[in-house]
Amino acid sequence: MDAGTMIIRLENLCTVYEGERIPAIREVDLSVSSGDFVCVVGPNGSGKTTLLETINGILKYTSGRGEVFGLDIASNGNAIRRRIGYVIQNFEIDPLSPFLCKNVVMSGRTGKIGLLRFPNSRDWEMVRGSMGLVGLSSYWERPVGKLSGGEFQKILLARAIAQEPDIFLLDEPFANLDLRARSEVERLLSRIHADGSTMLMVSHEVNSIPRFCTHIVVMDGGRIISQGPRDEIVQSGIINEILSMGRTSG
Ligand SMILES: Nc1ncnc2c1ncn2[C@@H]1O[C@H](COP(=O)(O)OP(=O)(O)OP(=O)(O)O)[C@@H](O)[C@H]1O
Ligand SMILES: [Mg+2]
């Protein structure tokens, strides 16, 4: 996609979970352009995961407007999700899972492969390349049930990379990683971004804000309370204020 094209546009958007009265995110105005690297920060429960799942249409927004790639999210969820590489926050690994790492990473290409053909050599090359990027080439035939939490998180990232998406949505991508793995994954995200992908990641930790992100969005209590270019938001001091105080109710 051309750099600068608007790809996510949310206007006055709210999402209320079924059976709840209070919106988990509310009055959200957010625009993301192709080539941006946006980091959303906010305390636990501030609505970050809800925001990501609203953007990819897993959750239906309840009011306002939401468009991704110029398509209304409410009626184009499948088409939008095919172009989004989503790395989830909460995962459980079934220790008995018989699936091998190579197959889990290949499952990222399901949208590209479709129902009418089998994976070809280019698909396998993408899988091999993605596993190499996260440093797990030697795990090709390893059952995912045997992986550590950090390794599985890297496999999920490899799966998203293999998808060749237009946007990456990354939910706490450093959460299960030790310091060394963190800096490796941070460098990898920077490289993927430099190659032209748009990135939207969320984190509850000030230390997880990548040095090279272009924009920061600060959430609290389901609202965006500040957003702008990275340096501007860092200098404003609002991040420390919100992450140390964390007033997340209402
Ligand atoms: N399925 C659900 N039904 C009702 N409420 C929910 C549901 N999922 C999340 N919530 C609530 O919505 C609010 C926002 O949750 P969300 O998971 O988006 O927060 P978060 O910012 O991602 O938090 P964390 O940093 O802990 O991951 C929380 O109060 C949460 O309890
Ligand atoms: Mg979350």
Side-chain angles (χ1 to χ4, degrees), residues 200-216:
L200 177 57
M201 64 161 273
V202 313
S203 175
H204 67 278
E205 289 178 311
V206 70
N207 297 338
S208 294
I209 301 173
R211 270 168 285 129
F212 45 79
C213 69
T214 58
H215 297 79
I216 296 178

Side-chain angles (χ1 to χ4, degrees), residues 106 109 113 117-125:
M106 179 61 88
R109 294 193 62 78
I113 295 171
R117 69 172 180 91
F118 290 106
N120 61 25
S121 57
R122 176 167 145 64
D123 296 313
W124 285 114
E125 245 170 61

Side-chain angles (χ1 to χ4, degrees), residues 91-99 143-147 152:
F91 49 76
E92 278 171 25
I93 318 174
D94 173 0
L96 297 177
S97 171
F99 297 109
V144 285
K146 305 294 174 214
L147 301 184
F152 190 59

